[in-house]
Amino acid sequence: MKRYRDYNNYLREIFGERVHKISLDAGLGCPNRDGTISRKGCIFCDQRGSGTGALINHGLSIDQQIIRARKFIQKRYGAKKFIVYFQSFTNTYAPLSDLKRLYDQALTQDDIVGLSVATRPDCVDRDILELLASYQRDYLVWIEYGLQSAHHRTLDRINRGHDVECFERSVSMANEYGLNICAHIILGLPGENREMMLQTAHFLSRLPIHGVKIHLLYVVKGTPLAELYQKNEVRCLGQKEYVDLVVDFLELLPSKMVIQRLTGDPGRSELIAPSRAKDKSENLKLIQETLERRNTWQGRRYQKSTVGI
Ligand code: SF4
């Protein structure tokens, strides 16, 4: 039994069977890359917009992407129901009518049961949230906001281009529309120690957030982070260090929060460091073993986390 609220089990509870995500690249951009906010992007992001699962789809239509992914997933995992996941770049960064066309296109097949949209917290407004909320009658809908850290200093350092308050406002607004909200965070960001990372867990635990994706910071080719790494100005977490931190982090989150991801999933050919980031299943196994060895679980320290922050 998992000692955290695992995303796959959560989906099984709702749909009664295995449901798999199909990662899509909608061909959208990002204001942190096109010069609206900055041209540099977040320091860990490469030219493909951090959408590792959707990389192979770039340039294909939404329909083609779904057909291709469905075939692969059905064969490999036996899933018969799917959630379309707009992953690459900023998936609310377009006129409303274009967004509606893209989302509608992705939801035409009977076996699509959900919609998940990854975006920046500074790229939503009420019209977009209302559009997303309109799909909730027929689909499971999640909005995924990149935050990465609850520390201003870190957000500046990684060139996020938005602040923590912006994230809080966008969470509050999405919550008004009844959307499921997932926050993306990264452990091991430059300048952060263990205490700072756990403060991010405290921060998330106080907000109306329904899910979290926890990523390990990894360095990929062609990023500002790669340059810093090559100059020895940043280091990557060791495997044990990461696993222990994830367990500490989970302890502080509410037990009902859905854990959508517990480690990063870098493209093998792009990865510079740490090499163990490639061993996703090994990392997940170690996290589970550590939870058991420490006889702990998600939410074990949650009550304490709301005091004195
Ligand atoms: S917001 Fe996303 S797509 Fe844009 S630069 Fe940052 S990681 Fe890349």
Side-chain angles (χ1 to χ4, degrees):
M1 205 189 81
K2 296 264 173 75
R3 289 176 175 245
Y4 55 91
R5 191 165 187 219
D6 168 61
Y7 183 57
N8 285 334
N9 288 337
Y10 156 81
L11 292 175
R12 251 182 225 281
E13 282 165 24
I14 297 175
F15 297 104
E17 61 183 285
R18 181 167 186 127
V19 178
H20 213 286
K21 257 184 176 174
I22 292 179
S23 297
L24 300 176
D25 183 330
L28 298 175
C30 173
N32 205 22
R33 290 198 154 275
D34 68 7
T36 305
I37 296 171
S38 137
R39 290 205 179 276
K40 294 182 189 156
C42 304
I43 63 167
F44 50 82
C45 177
D46 64 14
Q47 293 295 332
R48 299 169 196 184
S50 283
T52 52
L55 283 185
I56 52 165
N57 293 327
H58 196 66
L60 298 181
S61 72
I62 295 290
D63 282 350
Q64 287 170 322
Q65 293 181 50
I66 292 173
I67 291 166
R68 180 179 179 163
R70 182 200 276 127
K71 198 170 160 194
F72 172 78
I73 294 165
Q74 276 173 339
K75 194 168 165 201
R76 181 152 181 186
Y77 303 104
K80 295 192 183 74
K81 288 184 177 164
F82 305 93
I83 291 175
V84 281
Y85 173 35
F86 285 80
Q87 181 185 29
S88 305
F89 295 98
T90 302
N91 293 286
T92 55
Y93 189 50
L96 192 68
S97 55
D98 291 0
L99 295 176
K100 181 170 180 347
R101 183 180 44 77
L102 283 168
Y103 304 152
D104 284 352
Q105 235 174 10
L107 294 170
T108 49
Q109 306 292 322
D110 286 346
D111 54 5
I112 307 293
V113 295
L115 169 69
S116 210
V117 174
T119 190
R120 295 170 53 89
D122 56 355
C123 285
V124 291
D125 59 24
R126 290 193 174 274
D127 289 341
I128 290 171
L129 294 173
E130 199 174 318
L131 171 65
L132 289 175
S134 71
Y135 295 107
Q136 291 190 113
R137 204 185 54 184
D138 301 313
Y139 300 95
L140 176 69
V141 181
W142 282 79
I143 186 162
E144 303 190 18
Y145 289 136
L147 171 65
Q148 320 313 351
S149 164
H151 298 278
H152 289 107
R153 203 173 51 185
T154 308
L155 296 190
D156 282 347
R157 199 163 179 170
I158 64 173
N159 196 42
R160 273 300 290 176
H162 65 75
D163 56 22
V164 178
E165 286 74 22
C166 168
F167 174 81
E168 285 183 282
R169 277 194 305 276
S170 298
V171 165
S172 161
M173 210 156 57
N175 191 46
E176 282 179 42
Y177 289 88
L179 289 163
N180 293 300
I181 304 163
C182 177
H184 291 215
I185 68 98
I186 298 178
L187 298 182
L189 287 169
E192 292 216 344
N193 57 25
R194 177 178 177 277
E195 193 189 355
M196 290 172 78
M197 293 181 236
L198 297 186
Q199 279 165 354
T200 295
H202 282 297
F203 172 77
L204 296 181
S205 73
R206 297 198 316 258
L207 296 176
I209 288 173
H210 311 87
V212 64
K213 284 188 177 174
I214 305 172
H215 297 260
L216 159 69
L217 180 74
Y218 54 76
V219 184
V220 293
K221 293 174 190 166
T223 61
L225 186 64
E227 288 170 31
L228 294 173
Y229 182 77
Q230 262 130 23
K231 286 192 265 176
N232 279 327
E233 289 179 21
V234 291
R235 72 169 193 97
C236 294
L237 295 174
Q239 190 176 39
K240 181 172 184 323
E241 203 178 358
Y242 180 72
V243 166
D244 284 337
L245 262 167
V246 167
V247 171
D248 294 341
F249 202 95
L250 288 173
E251 286 184 325
L252 297 171
L253 299 177
S255 55
K256 65 180 191 313
M257 195 179 274
V258 182
I259 309 301
Q260 293 209 18
R261 183 178 273 281
L262 278 179
T263 182
D265 198 6
R268 287 177 175 254
S269 59
E270 303 304 312
L271 183 70
I272 294 176
S275 59
R276 284 191 165 158
K278 286 186 245 176
D279 303 333
K280 187 178 166 192
S281 48
E282 174 67 9
N283 291 332
L284 291 176
K285 187 169 140 256
L286 287 174
I287 290 167
Q288 184 64 22
E289 283 171 6
T290 305
L291 284 161
E292 279 163 24
R293 182 172 43 76
R294 284 170 47 175
N295 190 23
T296 191
W297 53 87
Q298 177 186 347
R300 190 171 76 86
R301 296 173 60 214
Y302 167 60
Q303 289 304 324
K304 288 181 194 163
S305 80
T306 57
V307 178
I309 300 158

